[in-house]
Amino acid sequence: MKKSFLFLCLFTTFSAFAQPSRLLAGKGNVYLENGKPAQLRGISFSWSIWGGAKYYNPNVVDHLIDDFKAKVLRVSMAVEPDQGYLKDPELQWTRIIPVVDRCLERGVYVIMDWHDHHADKNVETAKEFFEKFSKKYSHSPFIVYEIWNEPERIDWSIIKKYAEEVIPVIRKNDPYNLIVVGSSTWDQDIDIVAKDPLLGFHNIAYSFHFYASEPHHQEPLRKRATEAIESGLPVFVTEWGVGEANGDGAFDLEKNKAWMDWMEKYQLSWANWNVTDKKETTALLLPGAPASGKWRNKHLSPSGKYIREVLRKHAK
């Protein structure tokens, strides 16, 4: 009897520990169900077209989890360009589904990113996509919906209206999983959002993007983001890069450290941009890196080596 009781206790404890946790928006951050900041660190795939498309496969997912130690992966589905969802939805479905499925099989969080700068022009298509996607994946606590990658310089009221149309479509199928909403000026104006957040919806966070070496993305931007976080706005850094906003430019280690220290201070979750072998600063791979993953040091760019080191350090 005592042995049976002990086994039951151990089984119950293990089951509770092993149970996947849904992400919950809370004061200034995104949390696990046990109340602790999720503090997920991971990587964003590139646009699901052009040079980044070849890396949309389960082997790359495995490598990012096993070698880079990523805890969250972001699927950046192209919308407006040629071969994007507006023009070839079937192609995009066949490209993203194997990646999403492998993330769920491996037990890592996956951000489904509607990678569009003009989502307010494509509302009905976005609603159609998220209705289909949420119906397929609402069973998994690892799913995160990012409904508008980066609104450009438009008024928050337009973004808010878009969110108020798209969120109910998701909630019809998925009442619980985290939804991430963007803000104007490429997800930088979260201080404006903090003064007028969405109301009447459950489990909503807000994305914040920056590029560590961009001249306009330094202390004044950190200060604005800090004000939003300290006011209680739930924030998820769904995209950031080591270089400048155009994806290229300087890779300044001191500026990267300032941003990294800031994210660690507030225990924020983040996804670094991006898995591609394009010859630019924020690309994690050097040109010609295998599409099958299994990259060696010689395949990684300076950015790739840096991000891999950061992720592996925090995985210990």
Side-chain angles (χ1 to χ4, degrees), residues 60 74 118 171 240 283 295:
V60 168
R74 180 174 181 248
H118 310 106
R171 286 290 179 247
W240 72 276
W295 307 307

Side-chain angles (χ1 to χ4, degrees), residues 188 190-191 208 219-231 233 235 259 262 266 268:
Q188 293 168 51
I190 57 171
D191 55 323
F208 175 64
E219 186 55 34
L221 180 59
R222 261 196 306 277
K223 182 179 179 183
R224 288 167 52 204
T226 297
E227 289 173 359
I229 290 167
E230 292 184 350
S231 77
L233 192 77
V235 171
W259 275 110
W262 178 81
Y266 289 98
L268 298 174

Side-chain angles (χ1 to χ4, degrees), residues 100-234:
V100 175
D101 285 350
R102 190 59 177 156
C103 287
L104 302 188
E105 288 167 7
R106 294 298 310 273
V108 300
Y109 294 90
V110 55
I111 302 169
M112 184 60 244
D113 163 33
W114 182 256
H115 206 74
D116 191 0
H117 292 296
H118 310 106
D120 58 315
K121 311 297 184 188
N122 306 309
V123 182
E124 293 306 315
T125 310
K127 287 163 68 175
E128 178 263 336
F129 170 79
F130 281 111
E131 197 283 328
K132 185 176 178 181
F133 188 86
S134 62
K135 183 177 289 186
K136 182 175 177 63
Y137 288 111
S138 62
H139 66 280
S140 174
F142 292 114
I143 292 290
V144 176
Y145 306 93
E146 185 175 7
I147 62 174
W148 185 345
N149 165 49
E150 283 184 343
E152 295 184 346
R153 293 185 186 277
I154 62 173
D155 195 86
W156 163 238
S157 64
I158 298 172
I159 304 163
K160 191 175 184 182
K161 183 177 183 297
Y162 169 85
E164 289 169 342
E165 289 194 53
V166 175
I167 291 171
V169 172
I170 297 171
R171 286 290 179 247
K172 181 178 70 174
N173 297 317
D174 187 341
Y176 305 113
N177 278 330
L178 185 72
I179 296 174
V180 182
V181 176
S183 63
S184 55
T185 318
W186 300 277
D187 287 351
Q188 293 168 51
D189 293 342
I190 57 171
D191 55 323
I192 294 173
V193 175
K195 297 169 185 173
D196 182 27
L198 287 155
L199 299 175
F201 297 109
H202 169 69
N203 209 15
I204 306 298
Y206 298 86
S207 52
F208 175 64
H209 293 182
F210 67 85
Y211 280 78
S213 297
E214 174 64 32
H216 301 295
H217 292 190
Q218 301 309 313
E219 186 55 34
L221 180 59
R222 261 196 306 277
K223 182 179 179 183
R224 288 167 52 204
T226 297
E227 289 173 359
I229 290 167
E230 292 184 350
S231 77
L233 192 77

Side-chain angles (χ1 to χ4, degrees), residues 266-279:
Y266 289 98
Q267 298 180 281
L268 298 174
S269 293
W270 54 258
N272 179 260
W273 182 263
N274 66 322
V275 182
T276 188
D277 63 345
K278 187 176 181 181
K279 192 176 181 181

Side-chain angles (χ1 to χ4, degrees), residues 42-62:
I43 292 174
S44 177
F45 281 82
S46 191
W47 297 75
S48 56
I49 51 174
W50 306 320
K54 60 182 172 288
Y55 297 109
Y56 274 72
N57 65 74
N59 290 329
V60 168
V61 172
D62 286 342

